[in-house]
Amino acid sequence: MSTQTLPPATEPTPSGEGGTRTPPERAEGGILSRPRGIVVTVIVALLALAWLFPLVWALINSFREYDYTQANGYLSLGGWTTANYEEAWTRGNFGLHLRNSLLVTVPAVLLTLWLSSMVAFVLARFSYRFNLIMLGVFLAANMLPPQALLIPVFRIFREIPLPLFMSDSGLVLNSLWALILVNTAFQMGFCTFVLSNYMKTLPHEIYESAELDGASVWRQYWQLTMPLVRPALAALATLQVAWVYNEFFWATVLIQQGDKLPVTSALNNLRGQFFTDTNLVAAGSIIVALPVLVVFFALQKQFVSGLTLGSTKG
Amino acid sequence: MTHIDEAPRSAKAVAPEQGREKKLPTRDRATVITMVTIPLVLVVLLVWLPALLSVVLSFGKWNGFGDLDTIEWVGLQNYEDIVTIYPPFWPAIQHNLIWLGFLFLIPTVLGMLIAVVLDREMRGSRFYQTAFYMPVVLSVALIGFIWQLFYSRDQGLINDVFGTQVDWYGDPDINLWAVLVATAWRHTGYIMLIYLAGLKAVDASLREAAAVDGAGEVRTFFHVIFPVMRPINMIVVVIVVIESLRAFDIVWVINKGRNGLEVIGALVAQNVIGEATRYGFGSALAVIMMLISSVFITVYLRNVFREERRG
């Protein structure tokens, strides 16, 4: 995911989730009359099938023999095999790259959520004069084109040494640390915004009673607020896992050692390697897509509400 | 999206702004400062300081290897060179603009229309939504990779079906369009999702009122629904502009942004990790990107702040 701007708060609505939100009258209506509605529905259904096609096509061909498809063309059926996956896995070194992705994604998402929830808490809980400026500093950072910062970040990372046990290049450049830091810095804006909006919907009284009990600010944050914003954290975590896993630009420019690349940016090298065998491309695509698709289908509700979280306040 | 409509902020806004700060015990004040400072330092060091340094570097010539004192300050020379003697610059600008226009005309409009249709309670709505936004979870780089299955000259589906020999990713006259179609596959679902969320906010009674008034469906859309979606429209505009400006992943994975696929984001990268490292020159390109995006970031932030103030 590249642009993660979010819809701002529209007018607050009393509507809840999904299907139960509308009164029965609306079920018929919408804005289309019946006959036209049917035509439109058919068009949308066909479009939906067209949208599914690329992934289905990749899935089918990933299980077919190269020789068979070469001899009979891709519009044939047959030549089923799982050999493409074995070959793609070893040739693409996917074990290594997926491990790198994991080592970047998990710490980056945890760090992002932790840091942005702290800022969000302060912004939501107290009204300081700097609140809006602060929000602006984080949000705008989220929207700047990363290319605009590339040269200084690249050069600074090349200057910062790391002990060899942390990075075998001895520098932040070419280490997974670089990616964790950069991803965190960039993603904080979105999370801060969403979380602070969410926290503002918590009733103020709970803090008053917490204060009466003598709870410190830290306890109000960690033991009171964090458990209450768990739905928002879950939604954001799902979204962030997909975004960090999918991040391509920073990994491409900051990691120049092939064996350090996370899987998304490793595609760059694979395209050349798999060039001559489309079935291998298909298998590789499915391997790379699988982790996010699994997350997506397992946590679909979280994913969608994460994307639209900012759009209705809280 | 639970919604508890109450306003702790407005209650506090009545209190003097600084009052809260003073009431906090020292230890809590230290906590608050720490909680804000650590994230702030990270974002300043990794985003705002580099942004500033990009501007500074854009006035110099530097290969990036020597110390800072090897930078030769040349004023606006880099900018002048970019617009006069740097061949890929104008094609890149043109491609970014085509990117923008295309995203608006096809996937954005399509995404909005699909959202309007799927917003009704229709059978299979969930399934259709899933189909449209599934590509949204995939990375743009992966999408470039997957679409090779259609675009490959010798083994791609398109050439197979039509018996042609077109190199969709390689031919500089058409590869931009091939890339845009692949991008649209992902973009449509994203826009649809944003509008679906926005449409949920349209009060059902508004539509009924319009229906009772005998407004036709097209009129209802333009006079009732579209105006309510105004804040969403604005956000979509910003998203599309920024996304078009940032375009990088898919062209880089195809050919590193050359040969018909020049885009400004790729030009910056080429000047840093390409054969020639020209930091000053690359920074000047970066600053041009930054200037264009800052206009839209400002529009966006003003919108957000207006909502925030309203509480």
Side-chain angles (χ1 to χ4, degrees), chain A residues 1-3 5-13 18 21-22 25-26 30-33 36 40-41 44-45 47-48 51-55 57-58 66 74 115 118-119 121-122 124-129 132 134 137 140-149 151-155 157-158 181 185 188 193 197-198 200-202 216-217 221 246 248-249 252-253 256 264 267-268 271 276-278 281 285 289 293 296-297 300 303-304 307-308 311-314, chain B residues 1-4 6 8-9 12 17-18 20-21 24 27-28 32 35-36 39-40 42-43 46-48 50-51 53-54 57 62 64-66 110 116-117 119-122 126-128 130-134 137-139 141-142 145-146 148-150 155 157 160 169 185-186 188 190 193 197 200-201 204 207-208 217 221 225 232 235 238-239 243 246 248-249 252-254 265 268 272-273 279 282-283 286 289 293 297 300 303-305 307-311:
Chain A
M1 187 81 151
S2 33
T3 315
T5 43
L6 58 163
T10 50
E11 292 307 309
T13 49
R21 70 185 188 277
T22 41
E25 289 92 322
R26 227 187 112 196
I31 60 157
L32 290 165
S33 66
R36 239 189 276 186
V40 171
T41 306
V44 168
L47 271 177
W51 245 250
L52 285 176
F53 182 70
L55 274 181
W57 183 251
Y66 179 70
Y74 278 92
L115 293 178
M118 290 201 301
V119 181
F121 171 76
V122 173
R125 173 84 178 78
F126 306 103
S127 347
Y128 292 118
R129 212 177 294 167
L132 269 192
M134 186 85 107
V137 165
N142 190 227
M143 299 174 73
L144 278 180
Q147 289 90 349
L149 321 171
I151 292 169
V153 168
F154 181 86
R155 197 59 174 77
F157 279 177
R158 217 174 74 189
L181 284 175
M188 274 193 308
F193 180 69
N197 272 344
Y198 198 91
K200 277 173 201 164
T201 64
L202 300 175
S216 65
V217 166
Y221 157 71
N246 286 340
F248 178 80
F249 173 75
T252 303
V253 292
Q256 280 147 3
T264 302
L267 286 174
N268 205 12
R271 216 186 80 88
T276 46
D277 186 340
T278 307
V281 170
S285 304
L293 286 180
F296 171 68
F297 280 113
Q300 196 172 350
F303 189 86
V304 175
L307 262 184
T308 53
S311 68
T312 52
K313 229 176 199 180
Chain B
M1 281 188 290
T2 48
H3 196 83
I4 308 159
E6 60 91 58
R9 270 179 72 82
K12 269 182 291 162
E17 293 272 73
Q18 302 242 294
R20 286 242 142 227
E21 207 171 352
L24 284 178
R27 202 184 53 148
D28 280 348
V32 168
M35 286 171 89
V36 173
L40 196 62
L42 192 63
V43 85
L46 285 176
V47 180
W48 292 108
L53 290 176
S54 279
L57 283 176
W62 191 29
F65 289 107
L110 189 63
V116 170
V117 173
D119 183 48
R120 299 174 307 149
E121 301 290 310
M122 58 186 268
R126 287 264 142 192
F127 170 77
Y128 299 137
T130 307
F132 287 116
Y133 64 60
M134 204 154 61
V137 299
L138 305 178
S139 67
L142 179 59
F145 199 73
I146 291 179
Q148 215 181 321
L149 302 175
F150 300 102
Q155 301 170 41
L157 180 65
D160 209 18
Y169 271 166
W185 183 51
R186 181 175 184 278
T188 307
Y190 188 32
L193 213 53
K200 278 185 190 166
R207 298 166 198 257
E208 281 154 31
E217 51 231 23
F221 179 76
I225 297 178
I232 303 285
I235 289 319
V238 174
I239 287 178
E243 198 122 295
R246 278 179 172 182
F248 173 84
D249 302 15
W252 197 264
V253 90
I254 290 167
V268 179
V272 187
I273 56 173
Y279 280 19
S283 296
M289 281 183 89
S293 62
I297 294 175
Y300 175 77
N303 202 57
V304 169
F305 287 169
E307 300 287 338
E308 285 288 308
R309 285 215 188 82
R310 219 187 288 161

